[in-house]
Amino acid sequence: MTQHHYPFDFDPSQPYMQQASDWIADVFYEKLPEAGLELRDEQIYMAFQLERAYADKQTIFAEAGVGTGKTFVYLLYAISYARYTRKPAIIACADESLIEQLVKPEGDIAKLSRHLGLTIDSRLGRSPDQYVCLNKLDDARGDAQLEGAEHFDDIYRSLPDFVHKPETMQSFYPYGNRRDYPELSDEVWDHVGWDVFQDCMVCSRRHRCGQTLSRDHYRKSTDLIICSHDFYMEHVWTYEARKREGQLPLLPEHSSVVFDEGHLLETAAQQALTYKLNHAVFESIITRLLEGEIRESLALAIEDAIVQSEQLFDRIQQSSRAVAASDRRELLWDNTLIQEVNRLHQLLDLIEEELVFESGLFTLDEYQLKIVEEHLEMIQYALSLFRKPEKPISWVMEDKSGISLVIMPKMVKEVLEEHVFSRKMPIVFSSATLSVDGSFEYTMDSLGIKQAESFSVASPYDYENKMRVLASDSEALDEFANQMQATVKLLGEAEGGTLILFPSREELARFKQAMNDEPLAQQRRFLYEGTSEISHLIGAFQADESSVLCAVTLWEGLDIPGPSLSQVIVWSLPFPPNDPVFAARRADAQLPFEEVDMPYMLLRLRQGMGRLIRTSSDEGTVVIFGEEMRQPAVKERISAIMPKGVKLLAL
């Protein structure tokens, strides 16, 4: 790489990171102020802290409050280091709305590029479920009974010509992204969007697929690849298997990783590092073996396994129960259920033995055989975990494909430690909320990080005069009808837009149902998460200063300055649900409420409150509901996380 690729005049006789740090200091002291941006001491301080992490290739926790300009700092280091190592940096964001903040036309990457006259090569690595599946679209178009059927022909007509023709593409042409169809609800999108039960490896259209084309494109980035936490963890979890199958890993070799809103990485890791077993998928894959000329003993073993799988999942359905505020159903284990699991395990052992004989006869398609064997290996490993004295964490999910048994080995920390944190490269955790009571131990321990640098920088904003926090500890407001009445009154009195944060989809759905009977619903625009694509909803909320946005996932990342967001209502304190994952963490803790529930709730509440003040001129009110506010210990801990000068006032 020639010297002019560096963003400064590089002297090979001097340490690169020292020169990069000097250049970054010049950017903050001179170049950005010349472009009209204010000089921020917090950015300078953070820049010197990050220099250590990049020079020593260490993990660092960068806790920086709203308004410190932390994004500019980590972007400058990530880009500089990427150009030095000739490998792109990964910026992993907690969700799609955070990615949007970075990459939109007036976002932080575009601003840096404009102010510094720097051409930044940044490309998006979106999760597969953000893309149309061409096969599912064909199926959906053929089913007039499906919800949203009127949209599917429009989507088909919007596809580029090369999808249907064998001609060669001259250049990268992105298509089929979830954001291209903002009017579709999540339920309608599910009919056409990619899901884990699509077998892309044997799809004849994979080289014309929007998802595949985008993957080829982002892998060639020289500076930045922007993706979600989920996508990064999927990369980690599938890395070895993809290499074994002769596929490229999801992400290319990279120079450094920034986890924006890094306190949420554990959740993404838990979602990625799981095994999902589903009867319909098992049956569709195992029956591929019946398509060839096979011996009768193998055919009988396959049929027995299908019957046993069906019995097992019937039993799982009967033995699972819903958990409030969670989409994970609890599985009630008993001896009968364990016996059903072991019986399937034995039948799959038999099939694997039969396949050894069969493969020697060369009657089966080698490619299909490999896919089936990989799948059987995964199922066998997942089922074997139940034979160990320490059972894995498991739960049941229910969706359009039926029920799935989800199994999470108790080794999330070990996988992260081995495949992420043991690598000798700079890893930055960036967020306004990484510590609890001044300590980073809760976050470090949850991720299995033994050693890391850390620092905290407070927000420069005048919270004392700009933010009012009202909290309800009234027993009367525990009643849903009374809380609704109080909320409608707050919404009616608000001069700007309001964000209502719910801890679960069930509570949001109940609120939405109740609002249908309120006259206010005719006077103000109510926007509900799930009714259309999320960035489309956020844009509509920002454009209408009197609207109300009701959400479950926007505790982090939402950045709406000005009167469009002048009130945040926390519907109830965001304690973790009593689902199997948190139950397992509580079981491992000496003081579960203090060590698991309270730190989780405080981090999430701080994030939710952080949606209100986004610029020095913003002001407004935060309202907190929650019956736990009547517990003096809880109220005291919440008072302690208030920004400097802000006191909890009674509602």
Side-chain angles (χ1 to χ4, degrees), residues 278-293:
N278 174 286
H279 172 68
V281 176
F282 170 70
E283 186 172 10
S284 73
I285 286 182
I286 202 80
T287 49
R288 290 177 181 191
L289 297 176
L290 299 173
E291 291 167 13
E293 291 286 328

Side-chain angles (χ1 to χ4, degrees), residues 264-332:
L264 294 173
L265 182 65
E266 184 197 10
T267 308
Q270 287 171 341
Q271 287 170 349
L273 310 189
T274 56
Y275 297 96
K276 292 185 181 70
L277 309 186
N278 174 286
H279 172 68
V281 176
F282 170 70
E283 186 172 10
S284 73
I285 286 182
I286 202 80
T287 49
R288 290 177 181 191
L289 297 176
L290 299 173
E291 291 167 13
E293 291 286 328
I294 59 171
R295 291 168 304 121
E296 188 181 4
S297 56
L298 175 57
L300 289 172
I302 289 168
E303 285 169 15
D304 287 348
I306 290 169
V307 170
Q308 178 57 30
S309 171
E310 198 161 19
Q311 276 180 224
L312 171 60
F313 279 91
D314 284 345
R315 183 76 196 179
I316 286 170
Q317 180 126 38
Q318 294 163 24
S319 304
S320 67
R321 67 178 181 197
V323 176
S326 173
D327 54 3
R328 298 172 179 142
R329 295 175 65 85
E330 184 183 6
L331 193 53
L332 306 172

Side-chain angles (χ1 to χ4, degrees), residues 22-60:
D22 291 343
W23 172 71
I24 290 168
D26 285 343
V27 167
F28 290 125
Y29 278 122
E30 295 174 18
K31 294 182 180 178
L32 293 182
E34 282 171 12
L37 278 69
E38 60 183 298
L39 174 63
R40 296 177 181 175
D41 292 339
E42 294 85 4
Q43 281 180 321
I44 304 294
Y45 178 76
M46 182 174 171
F48 283 115
Q49 298 296 320
L50 284 200
E51 184 197 346
R52 283 185 302 154
Y54 275 85
D56 300 336
K57 300 178 184 175
Q58 287 191 322
T59 298
I60 188 163

Side-chain angles (χ1 to χ4, degrees), residues 557-616:
L558 185 67
D559 187 13
I560 308 279
S564 290
L565 206 175
S566 60
Q567 180 172 244
V568 174
I569 297 176
V570 175
W571 185 254
S572 62
L573 289 175
F575 282 103
N578 289 310
D579 70 21
V581 171
F582 283 101
R585 287 192 63 180
R586 291 181 188 105
D588 290 342
Q590 286 186 313
L591 300 166
F593 188 70
E594 282 298 313
E595 294 173 31
V596 178
D597 295 65
M598 189 70 91
Y600 177 93
M601 183 276 287
L602 292 173
L603 281 176
R604 204 145 173 77
L605 182 60
R606 279 175 67 195
Q607 279 289 345
M609 291 169 56
R611 298 312 97 216
L612 184 68
I613 307 291
R614 306 305 299 173
T615 68
S616 56

Side-chain angles (χ1 to χ4, degrees), residues 137 141 150 152-161 164:
L137 177 60
R141 288 177 66 221
E150 68 276 10
F152 302 143
D153 280 337
D154 292 341
I155 295 173
Y156 182 81
R157 282 193 291 271
S158 73
L159 299 175
D161 288 344
H164 314 295

Side-chain angles (χ1 to χ4, degrees), residues 349-360:
D349 279 341
L350 178 60
I351 290 173
E352 286 185 322
E353 286 170 21
E354 292 281 351
L355 283 176
V356 173
F357 288 112
E358 202 69 42
S359 59

Side-chain angles (χ1 to χ4, degrees), residues 472-474 477-478 572-573 625-631:
S472 161
D473 57 6
S474 163
L477 291 180
D478 291 353
S572 62
L573 289 175
F625 291 111
E627 58 187 65
E628 298 91 349
M629 291 297 291
R630 289 198 297 282
Q631 299 174 29

